[in-house]
């Protein structure tokens, strides 16, 4: 569906603007239908969560010890 693809690309562009402005160390996004962790050349660690019902559809981060 073109509408879905268009909105997906728009959301990616918006998120990229936020990342470019804030330079986070870690970015988590959800519901990609598969989980993954990927280190970007910039050092940003990106974690995509799985879809609901799978064992890796959520994550717990201890912000006191993570960085």
């Amino acid at each position: 569906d073109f509408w879905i693809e268009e909105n997906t690309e728009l959301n990616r562009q918006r998120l990229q603007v936020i990342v470019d402005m804030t330079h986070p160390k870690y970015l988590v996004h959800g519901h990609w239908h598969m989980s993954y962790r990927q280190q970007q050349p910039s050092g940003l660690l990106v974690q995509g969560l799985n879809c609901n019902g799978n064992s890796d559809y959520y994550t717990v981060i201890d912000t006191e010890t993570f960085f």
Side-chain angles (χ1 to χ4, degrees), residues 9-64:
E9 183 58 32
L10 181 59
N11 286 336
R12 288 180 182 150
Q13 290 172 4
R14 288 175 176 162
L15 186 54
Q16 187 63 56
V17 168
I18 293 168
V19 167
D20 291 345
M21 293 177 70
T22 61
H23 307 284
K25 295 179 183 177
Y26 187 54
L27 174 68
V28 178
H29 70 83
H31 208 81
W32 193 251
H33 301 284
M34 63 180 199
S35 63
Y36 72 93
R37 286 179 70 129
Q38 183 179 49
Q39 188 85 35
Q40 300 294 311
S42 65
L44 172 65
L45 177 60
V46 179
Q47 180 172 356
L49 303 177
N50 209 331
C51 55
N52 296 351
N54 290 297
S55 61
D56 49 359
Y57 76 100
Y58 68 93
T59 190
V60 177
I61 301 168
D62 183 344
T63 58
E64 295 293 321

